[in-house]
């Protein structure tokens, strides 16, 4: 199939996008706190061929400040230079720069500005903070229009080509005004649909008047909240709103709401283009170009969206994070080299926990300015000698790939007959099939690299390794799940386990150990695994009780926007859920639980307990090798050697590094990062603060 269609320019009001690849606004927690990192992060996508690059949501006024979240900020003139960094770096690669102006209303607790929040009507802010928003007066509404105009003018001065008004994700005042459930007003901004849309119309018109001669005006609108009659729906008011405003914006950016529906994970929306049913009506009602998202990574699907008249521009947040060079790869016919998003939402979680963006598939994401990393280019190796990587999981695969790109001859050894480590097991769990993409992307290239030798079914010992005489050793032997229950709730393990009681670990389930009857899944890990194993055991016919010390199942998945969906799914499957309880004792035919608040006990009959508590590093090999390591290998606190560079008296003893779960068990994203980090920087001399990475420093000018 020809993909030329994707590389046609698209006119958007007074500007022209060079192609149909459109990075829609997305958060990265760099924003106003890390302006250089923000600019470099957006620029890398422009370099990779995206025709339009947008900011994240940008606050326009201190009365809607969403601290501690780090989004964009354009409160006054002083913010312009930071935005110019972004627009200049994007323009350098021929892309257009877009900015999403946002007023958050009752979504903003104003923790920095300490101004009383205001919204369409008086109501609590939506972040569980004990704060209410007051209702806007007509004077406030007039001010809000002016703030949008002022911000739009500042945005134009900063060099943006596309300026958004934003009514999405249940997070912005324009959306709040439209929704009957929030809008209780009795003036000209409440009641009829026309009144509820008035503010949006006025703001779009005002922005156009102010900057429309130079900038395109885009409108981001959530057309489907997926909550039935109470919310926005295509079959009801959303269609009327698009009809009413049809030709007013220069561009429609349409999606579903809330954020958990828009950025749905692969576990809950496995298909690309999953928003199509909700958004396809929009193009029938406007001649303006339409952009939408749906975790698009397949060029065929993208072409089909355009040909079938669903979208004009292929929007992407996560696919552009996982692969900033996705458009170039399509253009160059390198489809196998696309680093496909796996739909895990680690990127989203970073925003929710207010830490700079990272990505499971793309370890360079967020590190472009800080470490000077590039998703496609590797710095040439600085040392002589070969490299041996032991362990073919996410850490080992990424480490081997990066070493090979840096020019080192690499041997990658794996005990098992197949590659992928934990990915092999986890991708077979319900809803996690896409996780195998982390392996596939890397294995494909390793298999084709002339300087890489892949040695499956090779369990290496320290002796074997030292016998090879290889200079640079990377130990990525992973981790295994603990059987003793040691974890956050029981730092010393569950003390009372009766002899003969059946205690299983996730590794037993992976190994195919037969499990029947009633299984208690004890989840003190709180990420996805406990919940997903409960789901699998239930599907296999077991009676399942999930016990967790947390107030909810899979608690950390709140950050990946999955928690409520997981809990709903487990309830629907008939899994019994016991929260806020720890495991006190495991007996032959029952276990005893203890309430973490009252210490009241309860007993449940069960045939087995599955412990999902914590993992132990499989680092014996690393420890066996350690005595052989040169004393010159002074490992710095960054995990990198501080040893001498190769020279005439080059030491003969190898250097050895422990990476991934073997060093410290964590997410797949952390393992990939660890492999990339070590392979990229093990041969650089210096300590962290002496130049291995840059930090954004606060100016002391007032
Ligand atoms: P990570 O997430 O850090 O990559 P994994 O647990 O996914 O860790 O992968 C570790 C891999 O290392 C597994 O595939 C395992 O079979 C392999 N492995 C463990 N010990 C050895 C060894 N001594 N020799 C070769 N491979 C090993
Ligand atoms: Fe996709 Fe996961 Fe990367 Fe986010 S973190 S872009 S969901 S692979």
């Amino acid at each position: 199939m020809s993909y030329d269609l994707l590389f046609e320019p698209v006119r958007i009001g007074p500007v022209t996008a060079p192609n149909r690849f459109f990075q829609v606004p997305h958060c990265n927690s760099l924003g106003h706190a890390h302006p250089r990192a923000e600019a470099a992060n957006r620029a890398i996508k422009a370099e990779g061929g995206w025709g339009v690059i947008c900011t994240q949501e940008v606050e326009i006024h201190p009365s809607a400040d969403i601290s501690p979240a780090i989004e964009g900020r354009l409160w006054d003139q002083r913010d312009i230079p930071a935005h110019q960094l972004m627009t200049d770096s994007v323009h350098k690669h021929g892309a257009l720069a877009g900015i999403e102006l946002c007023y958050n209303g009752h979504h903003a607790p104003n923790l920095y500005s300490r101004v009383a929040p205001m919204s369409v009507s008086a109501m609590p802010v939506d972040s569980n903070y004990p704060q209410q928003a007051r209702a806007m007066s007509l004077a406030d509404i007039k001010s809000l229009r002016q703030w949008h105009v002022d911000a739009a003018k500042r945005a134009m001065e900063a060099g943006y080509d596309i300026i958004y008004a934003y009514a999405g994700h249940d997070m912005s005042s324009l959306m709040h005004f439209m929704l009957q459930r929030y809008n209780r007003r009795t003036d000209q901004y409440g009641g009829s649909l026309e009144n509820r849309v008035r503010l949006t119309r006025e703001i779009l018109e005002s922005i156009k008047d102010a900057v429309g001669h130079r900038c395109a005006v885009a409108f981001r609108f959530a057309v489907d909240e997926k909550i039935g009659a109470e919310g926005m729906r295509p079959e009801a008011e959303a269609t009327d709103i698009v009809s009413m405003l049809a030709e007013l914006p220069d561009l429609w950016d349409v999606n579903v709401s809330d954020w958990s529906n828009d950025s749905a994970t692969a576990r809950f929306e496995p298909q690309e283009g999953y928003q199509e049913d909700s958004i396809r009506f929009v193009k029938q009602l406007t001649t303006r170009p339409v952009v939408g998202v749906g975790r698009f990574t397949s060029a065929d699907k993208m072409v089909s969206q355009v040909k079938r008249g669903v979208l004009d521009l292929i929007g992407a947040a996560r696919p552009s994070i996982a692969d900033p060079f996705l458009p170039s790869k399509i253009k160059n016919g390198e489809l196998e080299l696309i680093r496909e998003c796996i739909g895990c939402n680690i990127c989203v979680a970073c925003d929710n926990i207010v830490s700079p963006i990272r990505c499971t598939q793309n370890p360079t994401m967020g590190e472009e300015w800080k470490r000077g990393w590039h998703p496609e280019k590797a710095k040439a190796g600085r040392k002589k000698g070969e490299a041996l990587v032991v362990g073919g999981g996410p850490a080992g695969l990424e480490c081997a790939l990066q070493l090979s790109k840096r020019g080192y001859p690499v041997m990658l050894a794996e005990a098992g007959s197949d590659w992928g480590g934990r990915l092999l097991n986890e991708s077979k769990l319900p809803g996690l099939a896409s996780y195998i993409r982390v392996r596939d992307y890397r294995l494909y290239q390793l298999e084709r690299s002339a300087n890489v030798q892949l040695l499956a079914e090779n369990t290496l010992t320290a002796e074997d390794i030292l016998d090879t005489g290889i200079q640079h050793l990377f130990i990525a032997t992973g981790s295994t799940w603990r059987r003793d229950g040691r974890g956050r709730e029981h730092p010393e393990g569950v003390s009372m386990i009766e002899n003969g009681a059946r205690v299983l670990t996730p590794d037993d389930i992976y190994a195919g150990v037969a499990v029947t009857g009633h299984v208690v899944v004890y989840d003190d890990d709180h990420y996805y695994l406990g919940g997903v194993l409960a789901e699998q055991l239930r599907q296999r016919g077991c009676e399942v009780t999930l016990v967790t010390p947390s107030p909810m199942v899979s608690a950390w998945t709140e950050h990946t926007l999955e928690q409520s969906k997981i809990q709903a799914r487990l309830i629907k499957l008939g899994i019994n859920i016991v929260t806020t309880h720890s495991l006190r004792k495991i007996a032959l035919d029952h276990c005893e639980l203890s309430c973490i608040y009252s210490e009241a006990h309860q007993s449940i009959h069960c045939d087995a307990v599955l412990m999902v508590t914590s993992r132990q590093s499989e680092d014996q090999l690393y420890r066996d090798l350690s005595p052989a390591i040169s004393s010159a290998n002074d490992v710095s606190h960054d995990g990198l050697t501080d040893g001498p560079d190769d020279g005439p008296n080059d030491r003969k003893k190898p250097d050895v590094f422990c990476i991934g779960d073997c060093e410290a068990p964590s997410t797949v994203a952390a393992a990939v990062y660890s492999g990339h980090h070590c392979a990229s920087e093990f041969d650089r001399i210096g300590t962290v603060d002496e130049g291995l990475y840059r930090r954004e420093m606060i100016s002391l000018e007032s």
Side-chain angles (χ1 to χ4, degrees):
M1 190 190 256
S2 159
Y3 303 122
D4 292 350
L5 182 68
L6 300 175
F7 295 91
E8 290 171 351
V10 179
R11 186 145 189 91
I12 309 173
V15 298
T16 301
N19 58 40
R20 296 184 191 269
F21 293 92
F22 192 114
Q23 182 245 276
V24 295
H26 76 74
C27 308
N28 62 12
S29 259
L30 297 170
H32 65 80
H34 306 275
R36 291 177 184 82
E38 167 82 33
N41 179 252
R42 304 294 174 181
I44 204 78
K45 302 187 198 190
E47 186 187 336
W50 296 85
V52 179
I53 311 288
C54 296
T55 60
Q56 53 212 309
E57 57 176 310
V58 173
E59 300 165 355
I60 59 171
H61 194 263
S63 61
D65 139 42
I66 57 168
S67 305
I70 303 170
E71 311 297 315
R73 190 164 276 175
L74 194 48
W75 288 358
D76 58 45
Q77 293 293 115
R78 290 171 295 179
D79 294 309
I80 291 176
H83 285 273
Q84 271 166 339
L85 287 178
M86 185 287 202
T87 56
D88 285 349
S89 62
V90 162
H91 287 155
K92 216 162 52 193
H93 298 287
L96 299 179
I99 181 170
E100 184 180 59
L101 303 182
C102 179
Y103 193 83
N104 288 103
H106 68 263
H107 183 61
N110 295 349
L111 296 178
Y112 178 75
S113 69
R114 302 186 72 170
V115 177
M118 55 183 182
S119 187
V120 55
S121 304
M123 72 185 85
V125 298
D126 66 10
S127 56
N128 282 340
Y129 189 78
Q131 170 75 57
Q132 291 194 200
R134 67 177 173 82
M136 285 186 200
S137 66
L138 287 177
D140 294 326
I141 292 174
K142 196 169 167 207
S143 299
L144 180 56
R145 287 169 54 190
Q146 190 58 44
W147 296 336
H148 271 91
V149 169
D150 294 344
K153 287 182 180 164
R154 288 193 286 270
M156 183 170 70
E157 193 180 331
Y160 287 104
D161 310 286
I162 301 176
I163 298 183
Y164 268 74
Y166 173 50
H169 300 119
D170 197 5
M171 286 181 190
S172 87
S173 281
L174 299 193
M175 183 163 177
H176 299 153
F177 267 76
M178 287 180 191
L179 294 170
Q180 268 172 321
R181 68 177 184 279
Y182 297 136
N183 189 333
R184 319 306 304 165
R185 303 183 74 92
T186 52
D187 58 15
Q188 65 268 41
Y189 291 95
S192 68
L193 182 62
E194 199 186 338
N195 282 355
R196 285 181 279 122
V197 174
R198 186 181 309 280
L199 178 64
T200 294
R201 179 190 290 285
E202 288 175 348
I203 282 178
L204 286 170
E205 284 170 353
S206 310
I207 297 179
K208 267 196 132 169
D209 284 349
V211 299
H213 57 292
R214 246 179 62 196
C215 303
V217 178
F219 182 43
R220 193 173 213 197
F221 176 40
V223 296
D224 192 353
E225 289 187 281
K226 298 184 165 272
I227 53 173
E230 212 195 314
M232 189 65 71
R233 297 182 288 163
E235 57 272 36
E237 292 192 337
T239 300
D240 300 330
I241 293 170
V242 177
S243 306
M244 287 159 76
L245 302 175
E247 303 300 313
L248 184 53
D250 296 310
L251 170 76
W252 282 89
D253 177 342
V254 286
N255 61 1
V256 298
S257 183
D258 56 6
W259 195 13
S260 73
N261 291 324
D262 189 19
S263 290
T265 58
R267 191 167 166 191
F268 293 94
E269 290 288 1
Q271 302 301 331
E272 271 181 52
Y274 57 88
Q275 302 200 13
E276 182 176 328
D277 287 347
S278 297
I279 61 162
R280 74 153 72 83
F281 77 94
V282 177
K283 256 193 75 62
Q284 314 308 316
L285 301 175
T286 177
T287 65
R288 303 302 197 198
V290 176
V291 60
V293 295
R295 235 176 39 240
F296 293 112
T297 56
S298 143
D300 291 346
K301 290 253 164 59
M302 296 175 194
V303 167
S304 148
Q305 292 282 315
V306 179
K307 281 198 168 157
R308 289 184 297 111
V310 182
L311 296 173
D312 300 293
L313 294 142
I314 303 301
R318 291 171 296 175
S320 75
I321 293 168
D323 199 338
F325 278 64
L326 188 149
S328 316
K329 289 175 185 175
I330 294 176
K331 193 167 199 174
N332 299 333
E334 299 169 327
L335 300 188
E336 302 80 6
L337 297 183
I338 293 173
R339 216 187 274 105
E340 289 183 295
C341 169
I342 68 167
C344 64
N345 276 6
I346 282 290
C347 50
V348 170
C350 290
D351 192 59
N352 284 325
I353 58 177
V354 195
S355 59
I357 191 166
R358 66 210 59 194
C359 168
T360 301
Q361 272 284 47
N362 175 9
T364 67
M365 181 57 17
E367 305 285 326
E368 301 85 358
W369 179 81
K370 183 176 153 203
R371 289 189 181 273
W373 286 358
H374 190 283
E376 303 301 320
K377 296 180 196 156
K379 293 194 176 95
R382 293 170 164 215
K383 292 203 168 187
K384 298 192 194 91
E386 289 171 75
L388 170 65
V389 181
V390 186
L397 288 166
E398 174 64 24
C399 182
L401 182 59
Q402 183 66 4
L403 286 166
S404 116
K405 286 185 176 174
R406 298 191 65 209
Y408 287 102
V410 184
M411 230 181 246
L412 173 59
E414 162 58 44
S417 56
D418 201 357
W419 301 94
R422 62 184 285 193
L423 301 165
L424 275 175
N425 298 317
E426 293 184 27
S427 62
K428 295 190 184 98
L429 296 171
L432 303 188
S434 60
Y435 284 32
I436 204 66
R437 290 174 167 186
V438 175
R439 176 198 70 174
D440 293 349
Y441 165 75
R442 290 163 177 85
L443 191 57
Y444 178 86
Q445 293 176 74
L446 287 166
E447 284 173 342
R448 286 158 183 78
S449 301
N451 60 349
V452 174
Q453 250 184 294
L454 291 174
L455 307 169
E457 297 185 304
N458 260 285
T459 307
L460 297 186
T461 63
E463 239 181 0
D464 298 333
I465 292 171
L466 293 172
D467 280 352
T468 64
I470 293 177
Q471 182 67 40
H472 311 298
L473 309 175
F474 301 84
I475 309 303
T477 44
S479 63
T480 46
W481 285 92
R482 300 192 73 95
R483 201 175 294 276
D484 57 10
R486 198 186 287 186
R488 293 182 173 86
E489 192 60 28
H490 302 285
E492 295 181 346
V494 175
S495 53
M496 291 185 279
I497 304 183
E498 233 172 69
N499 265 346
R502 190 146 198 240
V503 181
L504 303 166
T505 71
D507 297 309
D508 295 330
I509 307 291
Y510 301 151
V513 168
V515 192
T516 52
H518 185 176
V519 184
V520 166
V521 176
Y522 181 58
D523 185 4
D524 193 20
D525 172 60
H526 310 295
Y527 193 18
Y528 54 83
L529 199 66
V532 88
L533 283 169
E535 190 177 335
Q536 188 187 55
L537 289 170
R538 185 74 188 126
Q539 282 174 2
R540 290 181 180 174
C542 294
E543 191 185 336
V544 179
T545 300
L546 189 146
V547 177
T548 177
S550 161
M552 58 183 99
V553 302
S554 301
W556 201 79
T557 64
E558 275 214 297
H559 303 306
T560 58
L561 310 177
E562 294 170 291
Q563 196 284 324
S564 58
K565 297 181 189 209
I566 292 173
Q567 192 136 354
R569 182 175 282 181
L570 299 195
I571 292 169
K572 278 188 200 137
L573 283 169
I575 292 168
N576 183 29
I577 293 170
V578 182
T579 57
T580 66
H581 278 72
S582 69
L583 192 55
R584 193 173 159 268
K585 178 178 174 183
I586 306 175
L588 292 182
D589 62 352
H590 72 282
C591 61
E592 284 178 23
L593 310 180
S594 170
C595 170
I596 59 165
Y597 299 118
S598 68
E599 293 183 11
H601 295 170
Q602 61 170 285
S603 168
I604 349 182
H605 158 82
C606 65
D607 301 295
V609 173
L610 172 59
M611 294 284 201
V612 188
T613 59
S614 69
R615 286 176 277 162
Q616 56 207 358
S617 298
E618 288 301 315
D619 58 0
Q620 188 59 48
L621 181 60
Y622 176 69
R623 285 191 280 119
D624 290 346
L625 284 165
S626 297
I629 304 169
S630 162
S631 59
N633 277 359
D634 184 14
V635 175
S636 74
H637 59 278
D638 200 24
L640 304 171
T641 75
D642 211 3
D645 227 340
D646 283 337
N649 302 320
D650 188 17
R651 65 182 188 273
K652 290 289 172 258
K653 285 185 178 171
D655 40 28
V656 59
F657 307 93
C658 182
I659 58 173
D661 290 340
C662 178
E663 184 190 26
S666 182
T667 56
V668 174
V672 171
Y673 177 86
S674 169
H676 189 91
H677 175 219
C678 202
S680 300
E681 300 189 348
F682 80 98
D683 53 3
R684 293 174 67 187
I685 292 178
T687 58
V688 177
D689 288 336
E690 284 168 2
L692 273 180
Y693 68 78
R694 297 197 280 187
R695 285 190 294 144
E696 208 91 47
M697 303 306 290
I698 291 172
S699 162
L700 297 180
E701 283 171 29
S702 55

